Amino acid sequence: MAPPTQTEHSSNASAAMWCLFYGAGIIGTLVIYGLLQEGIMTQEYNGDLFGYSVFLVMCNRLAAVAYAVPMGIFRKENLRNEAPLWKYLLVSLSNVYASSCQYEALKYVSFAVQMLGKSFKMMPVMIWGMIIANKSYGARDWT
């Protein structure tokens, strides 16, 4: 096998830099989004905290649809439902409920604490899997 050429090295370095750039952009955007969420939910409006978290979830979903539909049309994707509507309904309701709870939790804990809690939720699931289903997990699974 021939050693990599100078062009292959620079191509790999360029790909790695773009990957870091995009990753930092995604993480930065999510941090800003979380801080804005926390600001909305913890700021008082006429002496009361924001009380309509479902409205914020609706605005979020409408913005997502406003972006997704033109992108689907641009990419010539099929916009028809493939699964029965009741299946979409079940997923949608659970997602809206979870998002509303996330917004409401920001009234009591900071965004950072909330993210730690969300990342910790896999640990009890894994422990339960070990107890009930005799599953085993490697060190990489726990990190």
Side-chain angles (χ1 to χ4, degrees):
M1 193 157 120
T5 64
Q6 182 67 22
T7 315
E8 290 173 341
H9 278 298
S10 65
S11 175
N12 288 342
S14 175
M17 292 306 292
W18 279 111
C19 184
L20 287 172
F21 173 75
Y22 289 133
I26 291 169
I27 290 171
T29 301
L30 291 174
V31 166
I32 291 169
Y33 178 65
L35 293 173
L36 289 172
Q37 283 181 347
E38 185 175 2
I40 290 170
M41 296 307 289
T42 57
Q43 181 178 345
E44 289 192 4
Y45 303 94
N46 295 329
D48 291 327
L49 293 176
F50 193 85
Y52 301 102
S53 56
V54 176
F55 174 74
L56 293 176
V57 174
M58 182 190 71
C59 290
N60 181 297
R61 299 311 183 263
L62 289 175
V65 168
Y67 177 78
V69 169
M71 287 303 296
I73 292 169
F74 175 75
R75 296 177 52 104
K76 297 176 178 61
E77 294 180 2
N78 184 7
L79 299 179
R80 294 191 178 270
N81 295 330
E82 298 294 326
L85 282 178
W86 68 269
K87 290 185 178 183
Y88 288 108
L89 178 68
L90 293 176
V91 172
S92 176
L93 288 176
S94 67
N95 184 276
V96 168
Y97 182 71
S99 297
S100 298
C101 290
Q102 176 182 337
Y103 277 108
E104 288 297 317
L106 287 172
K107 293 179 182 178
Y108 306 102
V109 297
S110 70
F111 176 72
V113 170
Q114 189 182 74
M115 289 300 104
L116 283 173
K118 286 173 73 171
S119 64
F120 179 75
K121 69 183 174 186
M122 281 308 296
M123 195 169 294
V125 172
M126 292 170 70
I127 292 170
W128 195 248
M130 291 170 59
I131 294 169
I132 300 296
N134 292 325
K135 290 189 175 188
S136 62
Y137 299 99
R140 186 175 183 147
D141 295 325
W142 290 98
T143 58

